[in-house]
């Protein structure tokens, strides 16, 4: 933001119209990067009235496309980005193609269009021999993930994820984090999601910070840390409102799906449909499958899995994390043959990726699909539980113990089932996966035992905004610092704190820091 202010002032003091236009272009880009697209658009309009060189005209077209992309996130904005990349220097062109392709992956569901776009980009920006930049590795990895078999795509994806672990720029790191989640690399997802938020804050990159916070929320949701996810989403919404930008509700959908909140998922789906003109976007499919499996509505979850399979066959991108949801739904709905293709991908990913999470997903799928050998099925469930225990994905660990307990009860091993179901219920209740926890409770009752009821969490009395504020204050932030981060006044922050103290039965910041937040 400071750089943008200096560039604007420099443009005002520049008498030569051509040089003035160049500096206005630079100021517009800095304003966009700092999270002020409206001001960036004004500067760009002024620059376009100056006698710009052909290269600067091309840069102006690119910037206009980028502004529309950040404001609207629409398929039309994506097409404009691809068109704007023509004639740019190779490095800028590849960065623009990455922005366009990644947006299309998550928004454009028209049959075949993503694959066509990928092949066009591969023709115009062929794979580099000297892949020294993380952005080049990431573009090739995303193209491989959509266009190549799993065995060929995984090594490229792993190299891209590894490169971003030490990157010094926050740009595009959220894509590497999502790729780590697809690979089942929970350690890299943890590092990248936190690193991007920290770098965006340090560098004042408010254009990327809301998306970084949302991907941070997705990772925390999968890890079973829902309060942290909620805090990140609250902050992201505050920044978007201040900047006038639009972000799609994928992260909010995923959190609501894991919480088992069907009403909230319905609201967010309707909002997303209004924004992009259609439903069944990537995050929506995943969130719906998780929600329906949690509610034991396996037919609806299977329908979601089948919709994702159709989209993938038509050339669209699907979240690989949806594969285990598809398997569980297909088995429970009595149609295991439907998930053969995703089971093959789970096997290939476990074999080539070789992370504990990827192997656990495949072992669990094997256990669910095992036709009848009780000894081998039991061994696969136990192996899946052990592998998930080595990861940070508590939500999946709790669910695996739930599935194992359900199988044990149906196998007539009620005492063993109680051990697994009690552990699953405690884990899923603690993290807030309500629908899955209720599933575990019903299974426990069926074994003749009732689940333990713990005392209420006082934090449940706070609103999401109050939780976000007390979390930051408990971490040592002042009211002024919290106000700046959330685009609120210090007086508003203090009002929220007073309300929170009253609800929590405390009276000071010192007492707040002593609470187990």
């Amino acid at each position: 933001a400071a750089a943008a202010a200096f560039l604007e002032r420099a443009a005002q003091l520049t008498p030569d119209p051509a040089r003035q236009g160049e500096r206005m272009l630079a100021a517009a880009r800095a304003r966009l990067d700092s999270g002020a697209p409206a001001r960036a658009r004004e500067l760009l309009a002024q620059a376009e009235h100056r006698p710009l060189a052909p290269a600067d005209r091309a840069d102006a077209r690119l910037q206009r496309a980028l502004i529309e992309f950040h404001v609207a996130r629409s398929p039309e904005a994506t097409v404009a980005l691809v068109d704007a990349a023509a004639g740019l220097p190779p490095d800028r062109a590849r960065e623009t193609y990455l922005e366009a392709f990644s947006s299309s992956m998550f928004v454009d569901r028209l049959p075949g269009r993503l694959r066509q776009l990928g092949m066009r980009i591969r023709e115009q920006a062929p794979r580099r021999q000297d892949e020294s930049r993380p952005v080049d590795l990431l573009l090739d990895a995303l193209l491989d993930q959509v266009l190549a078999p799993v065995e060929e795509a995984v090594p490229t994806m792993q190299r891209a994820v590894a490169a971003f672990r030490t990157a010094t720029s926050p740009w595009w790191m959220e894509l590497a984090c999502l790729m780590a989640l697809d690979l089942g690399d929970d350690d890299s997802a943890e590092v990248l999601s936190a690193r991007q938020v920290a770098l965006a804050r340090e560098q004042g990159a408010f254009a990327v910070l809301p998306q970084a916070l949302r991907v941070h929320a997705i990772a925390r949701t999968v890890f079973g840390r829902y309060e942290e996810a909620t805090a990140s989403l609250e902050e992201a919404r505050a920044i978007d409102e201040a900047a006038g930008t639009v972000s799609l509700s994928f992260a909010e959908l995923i959190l609501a799906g894991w919480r088992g909140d069907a009403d909230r998922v319905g609201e967010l789906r309707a909002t997303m449909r209004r924004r992009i003109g259609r439903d069944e976007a990537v995050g929506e499919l995943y969130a719906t499958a998780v929600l329906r499996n949690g509610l034991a509505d396996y037919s609806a979850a299977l329908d979601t899995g089948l919709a994702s399979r159709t989209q993938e066959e038509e050339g669209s991108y699907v979240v690989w994390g949806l594969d285990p949801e598809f398997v569980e739904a297909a088995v429970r709905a009595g149609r295991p043959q439907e998930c053969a293709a995703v089971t093959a991908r789970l096997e290939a990913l476990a074999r080539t990726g070789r992370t504990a999470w990827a192997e656990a997903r495949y072992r669990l799928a094997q256990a669910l699909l095992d036709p009848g050998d009780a000894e081998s099925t039991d061994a696969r469930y136990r192996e899946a539980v052990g592998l998930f225990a080595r990861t940070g994905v508590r939500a999946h660990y709790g669910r695996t113990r739930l599935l194992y307990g359900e199988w044990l009860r149906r196998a007539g091993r009620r005492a063993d089932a109680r051990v697994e179901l009690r552990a699953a219920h405690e884990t899923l209740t603690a993290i807030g996966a309500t629908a899955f926890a209720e599933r575990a409770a019903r299974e426990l009752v069926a074994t003749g035992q009732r689940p333990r009821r713990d005392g209420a969490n006082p934090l449940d009395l706070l609103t999401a905004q109050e939780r976000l504020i007390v979390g930051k204050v408990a971490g040592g932030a002042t009211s002024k610092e919290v106000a700046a981060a959330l685009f609120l006044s210090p007086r508003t922050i203090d009002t929220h704190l007073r309300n929170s103290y009253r609800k929590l039965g405390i009276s000071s910041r010192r007492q707040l820091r002593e609470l187990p937040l």
Side-chain angles (χ1 to χ4, degrees):
F6 277 113
L7 287 165
E8 282 191 51
R9 184 60 177 154
Q12 293 167 1
L13 296 172
T14 300
D16 178 61
R19 286 289 290 145
Q20 188 180 54
E22 293 174 14
R23 286 173 175 164
M24 284 179 173
L25 281 178
R29 183 57 184 261
R31 284 297 182 196
L32 179 61
D33 290 349
S34 67
R39 181 56 183 158
R41 187 187 282 118
E42 294 172 4
L43 288 165
L44 185 59
Q46 294 176 34
E48 288 174 329
H49 284 89
R50 270 62 178 180
L52 299 175
D56 290 330
R57 287 285 174 194
D59 186 54
R61 286 195 297 274
L62 172 62
Q63 287 200 42
R64 186 164 293 283
L66 282 169
I67 290 169
E68 296 308 317
F69 172 77
H70 281 283
V71 170
R73 301 279 179 181
S74 66
E76 293 75 20
T78 301
V79 172
L81 271 182
V82 175
D83 293 339
L88 291 175
D91 284 355
R92 291 289 303 280
R94 288 178 70 85
E95 293 168 6
T96 305
Y97 286 136
L98 174 60
E99 194 91 64
F101 188 72
S102 62
S103 171
S104 187
M105 285 172 62
F106 294 100
V107 174
D108 197 341
R109 302 282 96 189
L110 290 180
R113 195 145 79 174
L114 180 66
R115 187 174 292 275
Q116 292 169 5
L117 178 62
M119 292 188 290
R120 176 183 169 187
I121 291 174
R122 183 139 278 173
E123 289 175 3
Q124 296 179 203
R127 194 186 302 270
R128 284 187 164 179
Q129 300 302 315
D130 59 335
E131 292 175 324
S132 56
R133 298 190 310 161
V135 62
D136 295 318
L137 285 166
L138 184 58
L139 176 60
D140 290 334
L142 289 177
L143 293 173
D144 282 354
Q145 188 174 2
V146 172
L147 301 175
V150 174
E151 293 86 350
E152 295 178 22
V154 166
T156 312
M157 294 166 68
Q158 289 175 325
R159 287 195 295 273
V161 168
F164 272 91
R165 286 183 64 126
T166 56
T168 57
S169 168
W171 293 95
W172 302 295
M173 198 172 283
E174 77 276 6
L175 298 174
C177 179
L178 294 173
M179 188 170 285
L181 292 172
D182 273 340
L183 289 168
D185 184 353
D186 57 301
D187 181 65
S188 291
E190 173 86 27
V191 169
L192 291 172
S193 62
R195 182 174 175 80
Q196 184 181 29
V197 171
L199 288 171
R201 291 194 203 283
E202 291 169 6
Q203 298 176 21
F206 283 95
V208 74
L209 182 55
Q211 188 65 11
L213 286 163
R214 285 186 166 87
V215 172
H216 184 268
I218 290 173
R220 293 307 178 272
T221 298
V222 175
F223 297 154
R225 287 143 63 178
Y226 297 169
E227 299 309 322
E228 293 179 35
T230 300
S232 292
L233 291 173
E234 284 291 324
E235 186 174 355
R237 281 193 288 270
I239 297 171
D240 277 335
E241 289 173 6
T245 54
V246 173
S247 291
L248 298 177
S249 304
F250 295 141
E252 288 89 341
L253 266 167
I254 291 169
L255 177 59
W258 274 99
R259 284 190 180 279
D261 190 342
D263 291 339
R264 181 62 176 153
V265 168
E267 293 171 5
L268 291 167
R269 287 183 63 177
T271 300
M272 186 172 293
R273 198 170 297 117
R274 287 194 298 271
R275 286 180 179 173
I276 65 177
R278 58 180 296 151
D279 55 4
E280 295 186 348
V282 173
E284 180 181 2
L285 287 172
Y286 173 74
T288 301
V290 171
L291 173 69
R292 291 302 159 192
N293 275 332
L295 296 172
D297 186 359
Y298 301 116
S299 294
L302 177 59
D303 288 342
T304 302
L306 293 172
S308 73
R309 184 179 68 185
T310 299
Q311 290 189 0
E312 188 170 14
E313 290 171 348
E314 292 172 345
S316 296
Y317 163 74
V318 298
V319 175
W320 288 2
L322 201 152
D323 292 349
E325 306 298 333
F326 195 171
V327 173
E328 181 177 342
V331 171
R332 290 290 191 257
R335 296 165 61 184
Q337 70 280 2
E338 300 284 5
C339 63
V342 299
T343 304
R345 177 160 55 208
L346 288 169
E347 188 276 331
L349 185 55
R351 177 166 35 83
T352 55
R354 302 196 65 78
T355 67
W357 187 3
E359 292 185 31
R361 288 191 294 204
Y362 179 54
R363 293 290 176 264
L364 181 58
Q366 285 184 304
L368 285 165
L369 290 162
D370 197 304
D373 184 343
E375 187 174 344
S376 65
T377 301
D378 186 78
R380 285 167 176 163
Y381 271 120
R382 285 188 283 106
E383 188 174 2
V385 170
L387 287 165
F388 273 122
R390 290 164 46 191
T391 73
V393 286
R394 292 175 63 207
H396 286 290
Y397 170 72
R399 283 182 62 180
T400 303
R401 299 198 75 170
L402 167 59
L403 289 166
Y404 186 25
E406 288 175 336
W407 179 81
L408 287 168
R409 186 179 75 80
R410 286 157 180 75
R413 296 166 55 182
R414 298 178 66 172
D416 292 334
R418 287 170 185 159
V419 173
E420 297 302 318
L421 293 170
R422 189 183 308 114
H425 182 262
E426 290 175 358
T427 297
L428 295 166
T429 300
I431 66 177
T434 304
F436 289 106
E438 290 176 355
R439 236 176 81 183
R442 290 194 299 270
E443 289 288 326
L444 264 176
V445 170
T447 68
Q449 185 176 86
R450 292 195 172 276
R452 285 197 292 264
R453 300 292 182 185
D454 296 328
N457 185 348
L459 291 178
D460 292 340
L461 300 172
L462 305 184
T463 66
Q465 180 87 311
E466 288 167 348
R467 289 188 189 190
L468 174 60
I469 291 170
V470 300
K472 290 182 176 296
V473 171
T478 65
S479 294
K480 186 176 181 180
E481 289 169 340
V482 177
L486 301 183
F487 300 95
L488 299 171
S489 71
R491 181 176 296 178
T492 300
I493 298 299
D494 288 336
T495 298
H496 281 301
L497 279 176
R498 285 194 298 272
N499 291 336
S500 300
Y501 290 168
R502 176 178 50 78
K503 293 177 182 180
L504 296 171
I506 61 176
S507 59
S508 69
R509 291 173 183 252
R510 180 186 60 77
Q511 290 175 301
L512 182 62
R513 285 192 289 270
E514 293 172 355
L515 290 176
L517 300 177

